[in-house]
Every structure is written in C-alpha cells, then in structure tokens.
Amino acid sequence: MNPGYVVSIKDLVVRVQFEDETPRINEIVHVDNGADTILLVDHLEPGGIAFCLNIRSDRRIEKNMKVTPSGHGIEIPVGEPTIGRILDAVGEPLDGQPSIPMDAAERKDILKLPERSSDFSIRAPEILETGIKVIDFFTPFVKGRKVGIIGGAGVGKTVLTMELINNVAQSGSGLSFFTGIGERIREGHELWDTLRENDLLKNTCMFFGQMNENPVQRALIGISSVAGAEYFRDTQNKDILFFADNMYRFIQASNELSTILDQVPNEGGYEPTIFSDVKTLQDRLSSNENGSITSVQTIYVPADDLSDPAVQMIQHELDSILVLSRKVAEQGIRPAVDLNLSTSSLLTPDIVGDRHYDLNVKVMALLRKYDSLKSIIAIIGENELSPADRADYAKAKKLIKNFTQNMNVMEKHIGIPGETYTREQTLDSIEAILNGTDDIDAADGETDTKPKQEGEVKKAPKEGEKDTPSDSEQDNKEHTDEDKNKDKEEKNKKKHRFGGHKKEEKEPEPAKEEAK
C-alpha cells in the first residue's frame, strides 16, 4: 500500500490523504516524523481521506508528512506477563518497569470482537460473598453478572470498589482486572499500594487511562482491559472479576471525541453513537462455556441527577444497582446506600433461596413504611403513633444501623478496624431484628419530642389542691371583661347620638352588679 500524507491537523484529529488504497477503520498508521507517532483511523471519507486520532497527543506532526499504514490495529500484550503490571490503552507500562517484549507475550487486537459462542446452556447461579452486608443482602454478587455502584461525587464509590477488590480478591478465586477510566491518579496509586501490601498483585491486572490522559486514551482504556480479560477467559478458562471505575467517564471521553470530530450530538447532549458505544463494551463483559466475567462498575451521576441519559444507558445493562446517596452520607452512614433505590433482578428464590428472598421482601416493606412515617413524625411526634407503627419504626432504625459497616481498606486512614460478615451472619442479624430478639440500640440521634398541640384536655386537680386557673385561662377572662365594658360604651355613644336631649336612664341595680 502506498503511503499517504498529512493534509490538516485539528487538535487530536489528523486528516490524511491516500492516493490509491485507503487503510481499514481502526487500523494503526505511522507518521514519518522521526518519532514514529501512531495514529488510529477513526473513519473514512470519499476521495481517500482518512480521519485519524492522535493517540498520544504528539505535537511533532506537520502538514505534508508521510503516513504509512501498519496493516493491524491496536495490539496489546496479554497473558501471564501482564499479571501484576499497570498498562495504558496501547499496552505500554505505567509502573516504571520495562515494556513487555514482543516475544514474551501474545498480542491481541483490542477492537476485534471475539467469536460468538454457540453454547446456550445455562449455568447454575453461584453467589460470591463480598463480606459487605448491604451488598450481599440487597444486590447479591452472582458470578458472571454485572453490578453497578451509582452515585455523585464524594459519596464513596471508589472506597466501596476498593473494599470489594480487597475482600473478593483475598478469597483467591479467579483473576481480578481493575480498569481506571478517567478517574484520579491518586486513587489508582492508593489501590496499587493496597494490593501490593496485601500481596494481591499476583492475582491482578491493572489498566489505567486516568483523567490526565487525552480523550482518545480514556475512550480506549476500557476496551483494552476487556480484551485482556477475554484472553484469560477464552484461552485459560479462568473466571474474571472485572472492576471499572468509572464507566461514566468512558461515555464522557467518547463525547469529547465526538465534539472534536464535529459530530452532531443527540437529544440528551451526548455523542450520537452513545448506544452502540455502551452496548459494544457491555456485551463483551459476558460469560461463555470457557469462563465468566463478573463485573463491578461505578457510574458517576452528574449533578446527582439519576435521570441523566448516560446514567440511564449504562443502568439498563446491569443486573444489580447499588445507589449511593448524598443525603445518607450526610447522616454519617457508611456505606451511604439508599436502600429504597437499590434494586437487583437477581433477588429471586431460585438464586438466593427462599429465606433470603422472604427477608428481603419484609425489609423493603419495613423501610418504605419507615419513609412514610418520618413525615408524620415530623408533624405530630413519634409518641402519637400507634404501638404497631412505633415498633416498626424502631425496627427500621435498627436495620439501617445494622447495614452500616467499617471498611478494611480505610483502617490505616481512620484507625478503626474493618468488618467482614458472611451472608449467613447478615441474614441472622436481620432475622433477629425482625423477630425482636436483637440487642441493637436503635438510637440514632433523632429527637422524639412532640410539638405542643391545641385542644389538649386539662388534667384534673389532685385531692386537696386548689383548681387555680392557668395563665391562658386568666388572660381569656380579662379579655371577656374588657369586651363587656366596650359594648357598654358603644351603647352609651348611640344614646347620645340619637337621643342626646333625653336624660340618661339609670341602669337597674342587677345589671350594675353583673357588670362589676
């Protein structure tokens, strides 16, 4: 294939003119600038024009430079040499160690979709215990399924993900993949330190395209990580735990690329290809007859708006949704899970068992009743509730307190040891609260004082006590006397106005006594 040449450069978009044959979409081309700059072909236009993306933001590209097609796409190293390493979107190391040699590991094209499986057999569901009560009870962790942690900024998404990695990876089951998409470098470094201290890097592969990278790398890092997970699943028949933080940043990066490519946005303000972008990535996070990929994805909620089109698009691909609330976080509850908004399609008797399912139905009914009673209590006070409502309200407060938990990964920061519970322990504690056999203190700082009500019945005086009027009764009596005197003055004025020539008649004695 004859080489082309650079026609124009606009930010990360480089237009290349090819005279004869054009390269394929998603193919890598090399710029002859002495630095071997790589570009990714995004799309083609008539006349031999290729629109390419500058993957590394290399500024050493000039107009009329020669461009040579490579004949292949983005190929990253996969397999055993990548375990314990941190790689970027094109497979280069970020951990300060040498690059993985070409002959030391197999290479895989990240944008090449795997072959579709023809095996439609259904595996028996297998529950993975996370040690976190609120997750094991409301959004059970089932092998081969997808769990989403949704929340705004600063409500604990990354901490909860790190706790999941710490608890599940320690069990030694399978291989863990962590993908940092557009998040803070500090969080990635802290995670790497935590895994290294706990000797968990031997079972972990890490791919980072954090917020300091350009949108091309941030949009590709999730795809690169999925390609590495697919290799272990299909070639080595391994079960993969796939953690992605943050899936919303993947859409955000794709939206930035759409803007610099001058594409018209859709009605929600995102890129026109948002559906295919999300669907293509999510469909690759699946299981087959060789192995499974169980994914945990955090989703940032812009402006705490759960109806955002991007959030809704990702949410439809998930089996379980754990919603983190700012209102709950402000109450000091950790993890700050909104128990009424968190849902799971996996909460069925066939998967979790009859006992777990029945307890969940009872707990959800109790929590919804608790929400409705809160508004009533704010007006009349808790003491005005019926005994049954007061008992349910106290049980709900105990349940909320029961689901709070200290994290193992935060022990070195706050000095409080972390807690881990089995699913059986979680069910036992909930059952004890519902049956009233627990020993949990429901006090949570709320005041149960009742506002003073009008029309309260006056208590009868005890024997030997004088029934003295209250201050309000004394005031009412004084007001009544004043009103009577005013009426009398009005009558006298009328007499003077209409019959002033007459002598004022004297009132009878009884009337005077009554006025006094």
Side-chain angles (χ1 to χ4, degrees):
M1 184 185 297
N2 293 329
Y5 57 93
V6 176
V7 176
S8 65
I9 303 168
K10 179 186 176 183
D11 196 15
L12 297 176
V13 180
V14 181
R15 292 174 68 236
V16 182
Q17 174 72 58
F18 288 92
E19 298 297 341
D20 301 325
E21 189 178 354
T22 57
R24 295 176 290 107
I25 293 177
N26 295 332
E27 183 177 337
I28 289 291
V29 295
H30 297 270
V31 180
D32 187 11
N33 60 348
D36 196 26
T37 301
I38 58 173
L39 306 176
L40 177 67
V41 179
D42 181 76
H43 65 275
L44 302 172
E45 288 195 354
I49 297 292
F51 279 74
C52 304
L53 299 175
N54 188 350
I55 298 176
R56 295 200 175 280
S57 300
D58 197 333
R59 302 301 179 188
R60 293 170 292 184
I61 305 174
E62 297 178 2
K63 191 175 179 180
N64 295 324
M65 280 186 171
K66 190 169 69 172
V67 179
T68 307
S70 65
H72 61 78
I74 298 177
E75 295 181 343
I76 63 168
V78 292
E80 297 293 336
T82 62
I83 297 178
R85 300 295 303 273
I86 305 177
L87 306 177
D88 65 5
V90 294
E92 291 299 319
L94 297 173
D95 51 12
Q97 299 183 37
S99 300
I100 300 175
M102 292 291 293
D103 56 350
E106 293 187 43
R107 301 273 163 169
K108 178 177 173 61
D109 189 338
I110 66 170
L111 295 168
K112 184 179 180 181
L113 299 178
E115 295 181 2
R116 291 185 177 272
S117 173
S118 58
D119 183 10
F120 298 103
S121 59
I122 301 175
R123 289 186 177 186
E126 181 181 345
I127 296 178
L128 303 174
E129 295 190 6
T130 65
I132 303 173
K133 289 190 286 188
V134 70
I135 292 180
D136 288 340
F137 186 74
F138 289 99
T139 56
F141 214 60
V142 179
K143 182 181 285 188
R145 300 304 182 94
K146 300 172 185 174
V147 179
I149 302 174
I150 302 177
V155 294
K157 299 185 299 297
T158 302
V159 171
L160 197 56
T161 304
M162 290 172 64
E163 182 73 5
L164 281 170
I165 295 173
N166 180 73
N167 293 358
V168 179
Q170 279 185 343
S171 64
S173 58
L175 186 67
S176 298
F177 268 73
F178 180 82
T179 311
I181 309 174
E183 282 299 318
R184 301 169 186 85
I185 300 173
R186 170 186 57 79
E187 293 172 350
H189 189 268
E190 288 177 357
L191 174 63
W192 185 76
D193 277 341
T194 302
L195 295 175
R196 183 185 57 180
E197 290 171 4
N198 296 331
D199 195 26
L200 296 176
L201 285 176
K202 60 186 178 183
N203 293 325
T204 308
C205 298
M206 306 177 77
F207 285 79
F208 281 164
Q210 303 297 65
M211 60 173 56
N212 63 305
E213 305 292 351
N214 64 40
V216 182
Q217 292 212 41
R218 285 185 274 122
L220 290 174
I221 191 64
I223 301 171
S224 298
S225 186
V226 170
E230 286 172 341
Y231 175 84
F232 281 104
R233 179 197 64 190
D234 298 335
T235 307
Q236 301 191 9
N237 299 335
K238 289 196 174 185
D239 293 323
I240 308 299
L241 291 168
F242 189 91
F243 299 91
D245 183 23
N246 189 296
M247 197 56 72
Y248 174 81
R249 306 295 184 191
F250 167 73
I251 295 181
Q252 195 175 41
S254 302
N255 192 36
E256 291 176 38
L257 286 179
S258 172
T259 303
I260 64 177
L261 287 168
D262 296 328
Q263 295 176 350
V264 179
N266 63 10
E267 290 181 359
Y270 290 96
E271 72 270 24
T273 57
I274 181 174
F275 178 80
S276 58
D277 291 343
V278 173
K279 196 70 178 172
T280 302
L281 179 61
Q282 295 290 345
D283 285 351
R284 295 177 70 173
L285 291 169
S286 59
S287 304
N288 56 24
E289 66 276 12
N290 299 316
S292 65
I293 298 180
T294 308
S295 66
V296 179
Q297 308 170 26
T298 63
I299 299 100
Y300 166 71
V301 181
D304 291 343
D305 181 15
L306 291 172
S307 63
D308 186 87
V311 176
Q312 292 291 319
M313 187 67 65
I314 304 171
Q315 190 172 322
H316 293 158
E317 300 291 327
L318 305 173
D319 297 295
S320 301
I321 299 166
L322 200 70
V323 179
L324 302 184
S325 167
R326 195 172 304 282
K327 289 183 180 179
V328 178
E330 288 170 353
Q331 298 172 22
I333 298 173
R334 294 292 186 276
V337 179
D338 190 320
L339 304 179
N340 286 318
L341 293 179
S342 300
T343 59
S344 176
S345 61
L346 306 175
L347 269 172
T348 62
D350 295 335
I351 295 177
V352 299
D354 291 332
R355 183 193 180 202
H356 188 158
Y357 178 77
D358 292 341
L359 286 175
N360 185 269
V361 171
K362 292 177 183 177
V363 168
M364 292 307 298
L366 206 58
L367 291 173
R368 290 192 178 97
K369 186 176 181 180
Y370 170 80
D371 268 1
S372 64
L373 288 176
K374 277 200 302 186
S375 56
I376 298 173
I377 289 171
I379 300 171
I380 66 173
E382 188 176 342
N383 293 331
E384 293 299 316
L385 298 177
S386 67
D389 286 345
R390 276 205 305 270
D392 288 344
Y393 186 74
K395 285 179 182 178
K397 288 200 290 185
K398 288 181 180 180
L399 284 171
I400 293 171
K401 188 171 183 179
N402 183 50
F403 286 121
T404 60
Q405 186 173 342
N406 295 317
M407 300 294 174
N408 292 295
V409 294
M410 297 303 293
E411 182 176 349
K412 64 180 181 181
H413 298 290
I414 61 177
I416 301 175
E419 301 165 338
T420 306
Y421 299 89
T422 64
R423 190 165 72 103
E424 199 63 29
Q425 288 174 327
T426 302
L427 297 180
D428 288 343
S429 65
I430 293 169
E431 202 166 43
I433 292 172
L434 295 178
N435 295 334
T437 59
D438 63 288
D439 56 356
I440 299 176
D441 182 14
D444 58 354
E446 293 184 1
T447 56
D448 297 332
T449 54
K450 181 182 70 170
K452 192 173 182 179
Q453 301 295 318
E454 293 182 5
E456 289 184 350
V457 179
K458 183 184 172 185
K459 292 182 180 178
K462 293 182 181 178
E463 192 176 347
E465 284 184 1
K466 228 177 174 183
D467 188 7
T468 56
S470 64
D471 293 340
S472 59
E473 289 174 346
Q474 187 69 29
D475 291 340
N476 290 336
K477 187 176 179 183
E478 290 174 1
H479 285 307
T480 306
D481 293 341
E482 288 176 6
D483 291 340
K484 285 182 179 179
N485 291 332
K486 284 181 182 178
D487 291 341
K488 183 181 175 183
E489 289 175 5
E490 288 293 330
K491 286 179 184 177
N492 291 334
K493 284 180 182 177
K494 286 179 182 178
K495 284 178 183 179
H496 286 294
R497 189 180 305 156
F498 299 108
H501 59 282
K502 291 184 180 179
K503 249 185 179 181
E504 186 179 351
E505 296 180 3
K506 292 184 179 179
E507 288 185 4
E509 291 296 327
K512 286 183 180 179
E513 290 298 322
E514 184 181 353
K516 287 179 183 178

